[in-house]
């Protein structure tokens, strides 16, 4: 999955909140729903999208499905973050230089 | 860092008032001088609250695929300090997270200080 597609998946605030919760621990869909004002089908839909994007993996145990972060799925996003983590500091330095040259 | 980290934040103090920084951010001749955007990047302004909050849409065409445009958002927040410097906070995120724009309660305090 490309970073563009991952961005689209992450554009939804509920999905970002789900990932945030899962970054702490593996959870069942029921655990995940606690505190969210969304229905079970809506939660299932979000989890399906996150699994489809390779960001979350599912493990079946008896009648329960457990969800967790799939770290490899985040690689394109981490590449993007690394690219711009390098980019901005030099630009901010250039901005500081420009401000010194500008008239008030 | 969590695996779900999806934004970059840079903070610094700039030795200039917000109005001057605003000109460097918004006047294209000035902006091009410091920003030097990478090849294939196009910018347009999504949100502009004079001298305090600016959001650019950052569209990047990936080399090798003309149809793939990666969109992200760059938000700059300026906060004036009493000594004439300005707090500068830049957030670059692949999704647009609307900021709580200048909250109304802060405005009268700033006006009294001015």
């Amino acid at each position: 999955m490309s970073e563009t597609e991952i961005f689209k998946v992450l554009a939804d605030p509920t999905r970002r909140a789900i990932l945030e919760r899962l970054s702490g621990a593996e959870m069942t869909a029921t655990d995940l729903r606690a505190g969210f004002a969304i229905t079970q089908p809506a939660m299932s839909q979000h989890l399906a999208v996150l699994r489809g994007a390779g960001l979350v993996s599912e493990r079946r145990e008896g009648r329960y499905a457990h969800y967790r972060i799939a770290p490899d799925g985040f690689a394109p996003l981490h590449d993007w973050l690394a690219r711009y983590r390098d980019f901005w500091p030099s630009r901010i330095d250039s901005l500081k230089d420009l401000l010194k040259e500008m008239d008030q | 860092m969590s695996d779900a980290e999806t934004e970059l934040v840079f903070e610094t103090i700039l030795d200039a008032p917000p109005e001057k920084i605003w000109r460097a951010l918004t006047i294209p001749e000035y902006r091009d001088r410091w920003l030097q955007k990478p090849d294939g990047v196009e910018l347009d302004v999504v949100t502009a609250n004079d001298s305090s909050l600016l959001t650019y849409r950052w569209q990047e065409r990936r080399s090798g695929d003309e149809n793939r445009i990666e969109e992200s958002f760059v938000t700059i927040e300026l906060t004036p300090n009493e000594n004439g410097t300005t707090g500068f906070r830049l957030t670059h995120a692949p999704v647009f997270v609307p900021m709580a724009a200048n909250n109304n309660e802060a405005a009268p305090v700033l006006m009294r200080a001015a």
Side-chain angles (χ1 to χ4, degrees), chain A residues 21-51:
Chain A
R21 284 206 179 181
L22 288 179
S23 67
E26 188 181 73
M27 288 185 174
T28 64
T30 311
D31 295 337
L32 269 171
R33 258 182 71 207
F36 279 119
I38 63 173
T39 61
Q40 180 68 52
M43 176 57 85
S44 299
Q45 178 64 34
H46 283 307
L47 287 169
V49 171
L50 289 167
R51 286 179 61 206

Side-chain angles (χ1 to χ4, degrees), chain B residues 14-90:
Chain B
L14 296 179
D15 189 14
E19 294 74 19
K20 182 174 172 183
I21 299 165
W22 189 255
R23 283 190 284 133
L25 301 180
T26 55
I27 296 173
E29 293 73 34
Y30 284 136
R31 192 182 69 196
D32 291 347
R33 277 176 61 189
W34 69 270
L35 185 58
Q36 295 162 39
K37 50 183 192 180
D39 287 344
V41 168
E42 284 179 35
L43 289 183
D44 58 290
V45 173
V46 182
T47 310
N49 289 356
D50 220 1
S51 298
S52 67
L53 179 76
L54 181 70
T55 300
Y56 304 117
R57 187 195 320 270
W58 186 275
Q59 290 185 306
E60 185 166 5
R61 204 174 287 276
R62 302 310 304 277
S63 55
D65 186 347
E66 289 298 302
N67 296 316
R68 241 177 78 195
I69 296 177
E70 172 193 289
E71 183 172 274
S72 56
F73 294 89
V74 176
T75 295
I76 294 170
E77 296 161 88
L78 302 177
T79 312
N81 294 324
E82 292 206 348
N83 63 3
T85 63
T86 300
F88 174 96
R89 180 185 163 92
L90 184 150

Side-chain angles (χ1 to χ4, degrees), chain A residues 3-4 7 10-11 16 74 80-81 83-85 87-88 91 94 96 98-99 101-104, chain B residues 3 5 8 10 12 14 20 23 30 33-36 58 60 62 68-70 92 94-95:
Chain A
E3 65 269 42
T4 314
F7 289 174
L10 294 173
R16 288 204 304 277
F74 287 85
W80 182 90
L81 289 166
R83 191 146 43 91
Y84 284 107
R85 195 178 282 125
F87 174 83
W88 285 111
R91 295 332 197 254
S94 300
K96 288 178 179 170
L98 171 65
L99 288 167
E101 293 167 25
M102 281 169 66
D103 298 329
Q104 291 298 322
Chain B
D3 287 313
E5 181 189 22
L8 294 171
F10 301 91
T12 188
L14 296 179
K20 182 174 172 183
R23 283 190 284 133
Y30 284 136
R33 277 176 61 189
W34 69 270
L35 185 58
Q36 295 162 39
W58 186 275
E60 185 166 5
R62 302 310 304 277
R68 241 177 78 195
I69 296 177
E70 172 193 289
H92 193 172
V95 291

